Amino acid sequence: MSNVYEDLTQHYKAVARRIASVASVEVKPVKVQPVKIVPPVIKLGVPPVSDDARQFISSVLVAHRIVWRELIQPDRRPEMVMIRAEIYEFLNNRGWSLTQIGNLFKRDHTSVLHAIRKRRAK
């Protein structure tokens, strides 16, 4: 047992000598540049459309606190259906065809037509 103790003692003394013999490294101060804090940009992910359509879609998304990816999901909750219908109607009034709107939202043109008719009926 004492042999193990002596071996460990010698080992730790050798390690201590190696640590003490390492040359000290000179640490130079580093100049830190001030960081410009930029507010985070909300990436809505609106697809490439005309500026007025993009602005309208972005405003609707921000108002309802959702992102584009959520809007085009196959979600039938009434609030999502009404948000989509609002945008459908806006685009249709700007001269977009039902097929173009459907392609933008990954929907069939008849789904777009139904949503617009239902919204106008209210």
Side-chain angles (χ1 to χ4, degrees), residues 34-114:
V35 177
K36 182 178 179 185
I37 299 175
V38 180
V41 176
I42 299 173
K43 288 194 171 190
L44 301 173
V46 179
V49 293
S50 63
D51 289 337
D52 65 329
R54 176 184 290 278
Q55 187 176 8
F56 178 77
I57 293 171
S58 296
S59 68
V60 170
L61 294 176
V62 169
H64 294 284
R65 295 181 179 173
I66 59 173
V67 293
W68 179 254
R69 205 178 278 169
E70 286 179 284
L71 191 62
I72 62 173
Q73 294 297 318
D75 188 350
R76 293 184 180 182
R77 289 180 294 166
E79 59 270 11
M80 297 301 282
V81 172
M82 293 311 295
I83 295 168
R84 281 194 293 267
E86 181 180 355
I87 298 172
Y88 295 165
E89 187 175 20
F90 174 83
L91 294 174
N92 190 250
N93 291 338
R94 296 292 185 277
W96 285 52
S97 71
L98 299 176
T99 304
Q100 289 173 323
I101 298 169
N103 290 340
L104 182 66
F105 282 85
K106 299 181 182 176
R107 303 267 188 299
D108 189 63
H109 73 281
T110 55
S111 299
V112 175
L113 178 63
H114 175 72

